[in-house]
Amino acid sequence: MHGNGEGVPQDYSQAMEWYLKAANQGHFKAQNDVGTLYSIGLGVPYDHSRAMEWFLKAANQGHAAAQYNIGIMHRNGQGVPQDYSQAMEWFLKAADQGHANARYSIGSLYYNGRGVPQDYSRALEWFLKAADQGHANGQIDTDLLYKYGQG
């Protein structure tokens, strides 16, 4: 409620306080939310290392959004050294659970040849999976691959 201002004034510091109570009891969604606030510096100082710590707690419980967030941090080198192979590993875990952004990100790694050999066919496969879930960028990139005869 505090994080999005439902029924109370929006207050990320208060949101963090409540998320931490749940996260410390092992609630994986709250752990991911704590990681998110640290990763963007809302209600707490910006801290990628602490974000990664909380994302890992949630991801190790199978939380797809946290797995995706870890993939993003590895892809961008936030709180960890940039590592496209690690990003792919985490994106695959989230994608296996149907996470559309993870599926799109896998397609992007294949399209750009980051952490994997460049492969337009595999990129198209993953963009289509994201597109089928209504992912707008997946739809656009699928169109572009077909338009230019790639994949």
Side-chain angles (χ1 to χ4, degrees):
M1 290 182 1
H2 289 283
N4 58 18
E6 287 183 24
V8 296
Q10 190 172 36
D11 183 337
Y12 290 110
S13 296
Q14 279 290 312
M16 178 60 96
E17 187 177 318
W18 289 103
Y19 287 149
L20 279 169
K21 289 177 190 238
N24 285 323
Q25 294 179 57
H27 190 278
F28 60 82
K29 184 178 181 321
Q31 291 169 339
N32 185 64
D33 291 339
V34 168
T36 299
L37 291 181
Y38 275 120
S39 73
I40 55 181
L42 288 175
V44 292
Y46 181 77
D47 188 334
H48 284 298
S49 296
R50 293 189 78 183
M52 179 63 88
E53 174 186 324
W54 285 103
F55 287 148
L56 281 167
K57 288 179 183 189
N60 288 332
Q61 294 184 70
H63 189 46
Q67 293 166 341
Y68 169 73
N69 287 333
I70 292 170
I72 292 294
M73 294 187 79
H74 280 288
R75 184 192 70 195
N76 296 342
Q78 297 169 317
V80 293
Q82 187 173 49
D83 185 333
Y84 295 116
S85 296
Q86 279 292 306
M88 176 66 87
E89 183 178 319
W90 286 102
F91 289 151
L92 284 167
K93 290 178 184 188
D96 286 346
Q97 297 181 66
H99 196 282
N101 285 335
R103 289 175 171 181
Y104 176 77
S105 295
I106 292 167
S108 293
L109 291 177
Y110 277 115
Y111 184 84
N112 293 302
R114 293 198 169 131
V116 293
Q118 187 175 46
D119 186 331
Y120 294 135
S121 294
R122 297 293 306 271
L124 178 60
E125 172 189 338
W126 286 100
F127 287 155
L128 278 169
K129 288 179 182 186
D132 286 344
Q133 291 179 259
H135 193 282
N137 285 337
Q139 294 166 345
I140 291 167
D141 287 350
T142 296
D143 173 62
L144 291 174
L145 284 171
Y146 281 128
K147 181 178 179 179
Y148 295 109
Q150 298 170 317

